[in-house]
Amino acid sequence: MSQKRDSAATLVADGDRPREGGPQRAVVDVAVGVLLRPDGAFLLTSRPPGKVYAGYWEFPGGKVEPGETLDQALRRELDEELGIVIGQTHPWRVELVDYPHALVRLRFCKVYEWTGALQMREGQSHAWQSLPVAVSPVLPGTVPVLQWFAQERGFEGATHRE
């Protein structure tokens, strides 16, 4: 899967594939939860069967619905996908990713506290990871987060397998 950045700092995934909806397509806002355990491990989940990029690993989350705040969307998505109730959300970073199927604005929030046991309600898999991640393939929108972790943690080397 090819990825590059254009001059406006948008991550372009599969740049050789045509973009659905053309150049004027709307941006889809996505709330993304970066669940972190006290030992520094972070949760990745696989894209469920039947969805675009099925089997690719990512941080859990989903679309922000009209009228929802980022916090509300993240709480709803993590309950729907994982069956957990999260504590305080900590907005962290934003990444614009141009996938062939959608132009998405990923709004990453760190989450340190939650209640409930993880339930993979969409048939996805999950894995607690550290750098370098052992699961693959990794969704292009996830790669920048791994790089941010590497910077924060002083990690050198590849953050994931290609």
Side-chain angles (χ1 to χ4, degrees):
M1 172 178 309
S2 61
Q3 5 180 18
K4 63 178 179 145
R5 291 205 181 263
D6 68 16
S7 59
T10 300
L11 178 64
V12 179
D14 292 332
D16 54 338
R17 291 180 41 202
R19 311 283 106 170
E20 293 177 18
Q24 302 304 318
R25 59 196 176 149
V27 174
V28 177
D29 278 301
V30 176
V32 184
V34 180
L35 276 68
L36 292 158
R37 292 191 318 205
D39 66 0
F42 48 87
L43 182 72
L44 292 179
T45 58
S46 63
R47 303 263 312 151
K51 287 198 176 182
V52 176
Y53 291 105
Y56 278 73
W57 291 85
E58 65 179 351
F59 291 93
K63 292 179 188 172
V64 178
E65 299 296 341
E68 276 186 322
T69 65
L70 176 63
D71 183 77
Q72 290 168 335
L74 189 56
R75 289 177 187 286
R76 177 184 51 74
E77 286 288 342
L78 295 185
D79 176 41
E80 290 175 1
E81 290 181 20
L82 306 177
I84 60 172
V85 176
I86 60 173
Q88 184 176 0
T89 59
H90 303 270
W92 184 31
R93 300 216 185 183
V94 177
E95 182 77 14
L96 189 63
V97 183
D98 185 356
Y99 288 106
H101 70 285
L103 180 59
V104 296
R105 183 181 300 118
L106 300 171
R107 299 181 175 277
F108 295 97
C109 296
K110 288 183 177 180
V111 178
Y112 299 97
E113 298 174 342
W114 56 90
T115 57
L118 293 174
Q119 306 166 38
M120 299 298 109
R121 293 181 167 176
E122 296 183 344
Q124 73 275 43
S125 297
H126 75 283
W128 287 101
Q129 297 289 292
S130 57
L131 296 176
V133 299
V135 295
S136 69
V138 174
L139 198 64
T142 297
V143 173
V145 181
L146 303 178
Q147 294 167 344
W148 300 332
F149 277 150
Q151 291 170 353
E152 285 182 358
R153 299 172 181 193
F155 178 86
E156 295 184 20
T159 58
H160 65 287
R161 293 184 274 167
E162 292 293 326

